[in-house]
Amino acid sequence: MLEGFQLMLANSWIVPVGVVIGILVGAMPGLTSSGTLSLLLPILLVLPSEIALMLGVCIYAGAEMGNSFPSVMLNIPGTPGGAVTCLDGYPMMLKGEAARALGICIMASTIGGLVGSIAAIALTPNIAKIALHFGPVEICIVVLFGLTTIARLSSDGMARGLLAGFFGLLLATTGTDPTYGQQRGTFNIVYLFDQLPVVAALIGLLGFSEVLMHAEKHVARLVESVDVHAAGPMAWRGIRQGFRDVLHKPSEWIRASLIGLGIGAMPGAGASVATFVAYQQSHAFASPERKQEFGKGAHEGLIAADASNNAVVGGALVPLLTLGIPGSGSMAVLLVVMSYHGLAAGPTLFTFNADTAYAILWSLFFASGFVLAIGTILAWFAWRIAMVNLSYMVPVISVFCLLGAFTRNGYVFDMGVMLAFGVLGYIMKKYRYPVVAMLLGIVLGPLFEENFMRSWRMGFGEFDVFWESQTALYLWGLFALTLVGPSLVRCSRRVYARITGR
Amino acid sequence: MPALAITYASYAWWEQRDGLYRADTLLYMRVLMVPVVVLVMAVVVQSLYTAWRATREGGAEPGGNNTDTTESRHYFRPALLICSTGILVYTINWLGYLISFTLFILVMLIGMGVRSIPRIVIITAGTVLMLHVVFIEILDQPLPRVLLSVLMKLS
């Protein structure tokens, strides 16, 4: 742990840089942290591994805070996680309390981030110790569990999410079979003989598809006329008042941070789910008088949204570092960076590269501190980024997507792969298929195949091996619960309501 | 999407079956194909059911289509972006990165409705300069520069 701390200190300059980039990106509606990380991949792949990963985590942490600025000032969430901030942040702005609302957001985000990072530092190595006992069978089940959880959260039914995930696993078979070295699904294209260019696919699915969506909507400027001057001056006194509001309500930020941490650790759930759950819980625990204030500028609602939003980052690192399962698009990008640099994400990370793993966790802790300082400084102008004309951004971001795809292998062919996956991602978004599920399938495909084949051979060609061990049975139980649990609860509620006539 | 998944799965399956692949490799493909086929059927049934229900209720929303009408949508622009990116990828090996990206940004800015010539020039020149500095000077990436090198040799 100490070595990780020293490593982080030696490269600590990257923390504020990442936080600044993250806050500015988060403030720009449409550019999510995962999209930005995918665009920055050429730089992340060239940087030394620890700096690249620290930068990625700090950008993620900064973006989750930065989304509060346009949410409060313009009623436009910068990232999906910022949607709940709009509910109470914007009404506060309309009341002339914009500075106070931003103060609440900054302090709640800082505390949420600190709680998330401390919990991640404390929990991750211990979970990794448990995960070390996982064999190939258990890893297969965990991969399926991750895919299913993401599919479960798909807005248009689980079938679409699972289809996207399994299609991703199928696409990941492109290239050389890891067991026997036979080429599959290559269309006789020499560039695909090794494997599907994952970086190009990732940039296409996350970045270029988003550019296509923006080009289609063609909202030249997301905000045309918002009278932000009516919100009162962005005074230091107001921001300080916001800080005090948060510190005087410890139960709010403790509850919200723990919710964010727990949901962040679940693959696929992410900030948008965490903020809604935390907000709903804050509302449930509020007094009847305070409940009336929710949606009209309740401080509790704003604290819940922002604290949970930032605690998610720490939670999301837990499955990535302990099991090698990314729970979100941003984490998938970090997994690609880790594998490019030869770091095996998963339980062995804490055995062979413990210093890097701890440096990542410590950087998140310090990033949360920098969020307070940098967020306060940027409060004066960061929300103006939402005013950037998207007509200018579309060609520029497209060029960066193309170059990002090219950089990994130096093949122009990879630019074409990026374009193909961008179009695929665009179609998926149009028809409401979760892009992240497919991405997870592509990224985890080789891991799944390798462990599946190993298990198969361990079981001498029998499927019984998949439910022989106790751990596997527990994991299958958990898997089944994820698959059918919510439907069973819904059905039982319906039956109960029919019986009782309510 | 279901059609695409089935097409790719069929291609991969036939390729491996006809290519005398090992039984274990085929087994893994079969393990993936079974859920894909089942899920494709589930999605198709779900979409048909949604469409049928929408028709019965006289609703306007057909299954799967994005019916968000709050913003004006311009399908010409994504089509232009896809085509110009395709052309860029196809020609970059001959034209080189400087000319390709300059033309691409120019076309896209005009396509996106930017009419101010100074802005077009500044954004194009600024972006190309930035990518030259970042990707060539700093990251030392071997971006294609064929025509550029030929012109330089000729001059």
Side-chain angles (χ1 to χ4, degrees), chain B residues 69-92:
Chain B
T69 51
T70 51
E71 290 162 335
S72 61
R73 288 173 184 278
H74 302 257
Y75 291 100
F76 163 72
R77 292 191 174 102
L80 176 73
L81 180 55
I82 292 167
C83 291
S84 1
T85 312
I87 294 168
L88 181 140
V89 172
Y90 190 70
T91 56
I92 194 167

Side-chain angles (χ1 to χ4, degrees), chain A residues 220-244:
Chain A
R221 197 169 276 145
L222 282 157
V223 183
E224 290 293 351
S225 56
V226 172
D227 186 13
V228 286
H229 299 293
M234 194 58 66
W236 166 236
R237 202 194 307 169
I239 293 178
R240 218 170 44 191
Q241 180 62 42
F243 289 176
R244 273 201 295 268

Side-chain angles (χ1 to χ4, degrees), chain A residues 32 76 87 110 116 123 132 138-139 257:
Chain A
T32 56
I76 295 171
L87 297 178
T110 304
L123 290 175
L132 266 176
E138 286 80 10
I139 292 172
S257 302

Side-chain angles (χ1 to χ4, degrees), chain A residues 174 183 185 187 216-217 392, chain B residues 8 15 21 72-74 119:
Chain A
T174 306
Q183 270 122 27
F187 299 95
E216 182 200 304
K217 284 180 195 165
Y392 306 150
Chain B
Y8 184 80
E15 185 206 28
Y21 279 65
S72 61
R73 288 173 184 278
H74 302 257
R119 278 184 189 176

